[in-house]
Amino acid sequence: TQLLEQSPQFLSIQEGENLTVYCNSSSVFSSLQWYRQEPGEGPVLLVTVVTGGEVKKLKRLTFQFGDARKDSSLHITAAQPGDTGLYLCAGGSWGKLQFGAGTQVVVTP
Amino acid sequence: NAGVTQTPKFQVLKTGQSMTLQCAQDMNHNSMYWYRQDPGMGLRLIYYSASEGTTDKGEVPNGYNVSRLNKREFSLRLESAAPSQTSVYFCASREAGELFFGEGSRLTVL
């Protein structure tokens, strides 16, 4: 059972455009994480959000955790080709960490 | 700075064959994990080891066994491979709130 639903599944945009990807669940999470995975590599942690309503910024990336701690979003401003990758959200306890299926983002020059 | 190292990177097996995926980390982390990644399914936890000497089942343990050989090494064994085990396998170790992944092992079972 997939507890974390990510949307869209695929996103293709031009360099300079903005994009938002979503991670939704019917369950409450004490924290959510976002990872980015490039082809042929393992996922790399981008951020952890722990407080409902929290907003974290990492350069051009903005992460938000929903007030009810059931959903999260990732917004990229002025996307660059280097932002291309599979974005995964994850939540739950360490023995039962659940990953979403991911959003494949492609940024073309 | 090797981090998490997995071997082999690629393997093709016939149904019924056995093999072991090796994983080693040089970051002195206590917890280690094995995930599989399939298209449209995300990463699913197979087994994990919270510390040396302990292992526990994850979401999809059937058909797999693990060994935490020492603090550095955590191996995953397929005793009798099935086509449903065709996947990309990732080993990870954990420090505080962060998972560190290896580059993955792509396994095809014919």
Side-chain angles (χ1 to χ4, degrees):
Chain A
T1 303
Q2 196 71 38
L3 294 180
L4 288 165
E5 299 284 341
Q6 290 191 243
S7 61
Q9 287 185 306
F10 183 81
L11 198 53
S12 180
I13 61 170
Q14 298 283 335
E15 182 177 3
E17 293 182 338
N18 301 332
L19 69 98
T20 302
V21 299
Y22 300 92
C23 175
N24 295 292
S25 175
S26 58
S27 302
V28 175
F29 290 96
S30 58
S31 65
L32 274 178
Q33 297 189 318
W34 284 93
Y35 290 78
R36 180 169 66 207
Q37 184 179 16
E38 298 186 16
E41 298 184 8
V44 175
L45 181 67
L46 295 173
V47 78
T48 301
V49 285
V50 297
T51 305
E54 180 178 6
V55 176
K56 279 192 174 179
K57 293 191 175 183
L58 186 66
K59 296 183 180 178
R60 295 174 295 98
L61 278 61
T62 301
F63 304 86
Q64 186 162 6
F65 199 12
D67 291 340
R69 291 185 287 125
K70 292 183 177 182
D71 56 88
S72 182
S73 63
L74 158 60
H75 181 79
I76 302 179
T77 303
Q80 299 177 359
D83 295 323
T84 292
L86 180 68
Y87 289 83
L88 297 159
C89 65
S93 60
W94 289 108
K96 301 186 180 200
L97 193 68
Q98 295 277 337
F99 280 83
T103 295
Q104 181 65 51
V105 172
V106 176
V107 183
T108 53
Chain B
N1 53 341
V4 178
T5 303
Q6 294 182 230
T7 56
K9 287 187 168 39
F10 300 94
Q11 184 72 47
V12 179
L13 291 177
K14 293 181 179 178
T15 297
Q17 288 185 318
S18 62
M19 78 157 298
T20 300
L21 299 177
Q22 307 286 354
C23 175
Q25 52 96 5
D26 61 3
M27 296 174 284
N28 202 37
H29 294 167
N30 285 318
S31 300
M32 297 186 72
Y33 303 79
W34 275 105
Y35 288 90
R36 60 178 289 175
Q37 186 174 35
D38 302 292
M41 299 291 290
L43 286 152
R44 291 182 293 169
L45 182 63
I46 305 170
Y47 271 94
Y48 68 102
S49 172
S51 61
E52 186 179 353
T54 69
T55 60
D56 284 288
K57 296 178 180 179
E59 181 184 357
V60 289
N62 291 343
Y64 305 95
N65 285 301
V66 290
S67 295
R68 183 73 183 267
L69 304 171
N70 47 56
K71 192 171 186 179
R72 289 187 65 249
E73 299 173 287
F74 189 37
S75 63
L76 178 71
R77 183 162 178 83
L78 287 70
E79 290 291 352
S80 179
S84 61
Q85 294 178 303
T86 293
S87 187
V88 181
Y89 291 85
F90 286 96
C91 178
S93 65
R94 181 170 65 88
E95 171 69 19
E98 183 172 356
L99 284 171
F100 296 82
F101 287 87
E103 293 184 336
S105 297
R106 183 174 293 276
L107 176 65
T108 301
V109 183
L110 303 176

